[in-house]
Amino acid sequence: MAKIKRWLARAFLCLFLLLSALSVVFGLFKYSERRVVAQAGKYLERSEPYKAVEIFKNFEANGLNRLAIKHEVVDPLWHYTYGLALLKTSDYVNAAKESERAAYGFKDNKEKSLAYFNFGEARLWQWDGGAFEEAALLYQEALKYDFEMVMAKKRLEWLRMANLIKGESSGNPKDKGKGDLNNDKADKSDGKSQSDEEKFKQTNEKRRRGY
């Protein structure tokens, strides 16, 4: 009986030491994570997004960090800031991935709205098949969490004015019932679709941004 007690005591001690070690490792990881986000944020404020991206990539170079990121141990703010930096360096595919993860991870409505808007920006500027419609849906999602978001409303308006989406994609209840009218307009403008896209791109190229 005494041997069993000693064995149990040793087992509990080992477990305690293991948990303590894991707690220290986790604490160090979270500290490093917050430091990366803070440094990247400063670079973004100084309009140096490439340096911000470099910080994130250096952080990801560590195998344990990659594992933690894969299993969503990092805060959604990590994904959000990384996605914003990628967006500002025109890496739209990866910016979309990071912004999407941030949008799903955030709990606060304002934060979710910002993440969905950046997700929409990243999808829009990939400029491939379905990009406009998907971006419009993401802008609508941003407005669902923050109806007062001006940039999301402007993006939807620009897309409609360029005939790149139908009126129903505006997310505004007043647009309901206008589908047929917009379809008629779209049919009449088929021959101008390419020029409309180019005009939109040229007009909004300099307005590419994220929040």
Side-chain angles (χ1 to χ4, degrees), residues 46-194:
R46 297 202 296 261
S47 298
E48 297 178 303
Y50 287 96
K51 290 185 178 180
V53 169
E54 184 179 357
I55 289 177
F56 283 109
K57 288 185 176 179
N58 289 339
F59 186 80
E60 288 180 314
N62 182 286
L64 290 176
N65 289 347
R66 284 200 306 274
L67 185 63
I69 294 167
K70 180 180 178 181
H71 292 284
E72 297 297 346
V73 176
V74 295
D75 190 272
L77 183 61
W78 192 93
H79 293 298
Y80 173 82
T81 308
Y82 193 10
L84 180 57
L86 291 166
L87 180 62
K88 290 181 179 295
T89 59
S90 302
D91 186 351
Y92 302 124
V93 173
N94 288 315
K97 293 177 182 178
E98 295 298 333
S99 298
E100 180 179 19
R101 294 173 79 174
Y104 291 155
F106 278 138
K107 302 301 181 184
D108 180 79
N109 283 351
K110 291 281 186 180
E111 292 174 338
K112 288 182 80 73
S113 179
L114 293 171
Y116 272 115
F117 176 79
N118 288 355
F119 188 9
E121 290 288 272
R123 188 66 191 96
L124 173 66
W125 295 107
Q126 288 180 46
W127 218 258
D128 56 17
F132 309 128
E133 292 80 5
E134 290 177 25
L137 291 174
L138 291 168
Y139 295 139
Q140 286 184 70
E141 198 70 15
L143 288 170
K144 184 172 79 174
Y145 292 101
D146 180 11
F147 187 73
E148 300 302 319
M149 190 178 205
V150 176
M151 279 306 301
K153 292 180 179 181
K154 286 185 176 180
R155 276 289 189 249
L156 288 168
E157 185 63 26
W158 287 333
L159 286 167
R160 287 201 311 275
M161 290 176 65
N163 294 320
L164 299 178
I165 61 171
K166 297 177 182 179
E168 291 182 353
S169 295
S170 66
N172 188 332
K174 294 181 180 179
D175 287 327
K176 291 182 179 180
K178 295 183 180 180
D180 294 336
L181 177 60
N182 282 293
N183 287 337
D184 291 340
K185 290 181 179 179
D187 292 337
K188 293 177 182 179
S189 63
D190 282 342
K192 299 180 181 180
S193 59
Q194 185 61 34

Side-chain angles (χ1 to χ4, degrees), residues 1 7-8 31 35 42-43 56 90 99 150 172 186 209:
M1 189 68 179
W7 184 87
L8 287 174
Y31 171 78
R35 186 177 179 184
K42 290 179 180 178
Y43 279 127
F56 283 109
S90 302
S99 298
V150 176
N172 188 332
R209 61 182 300 175

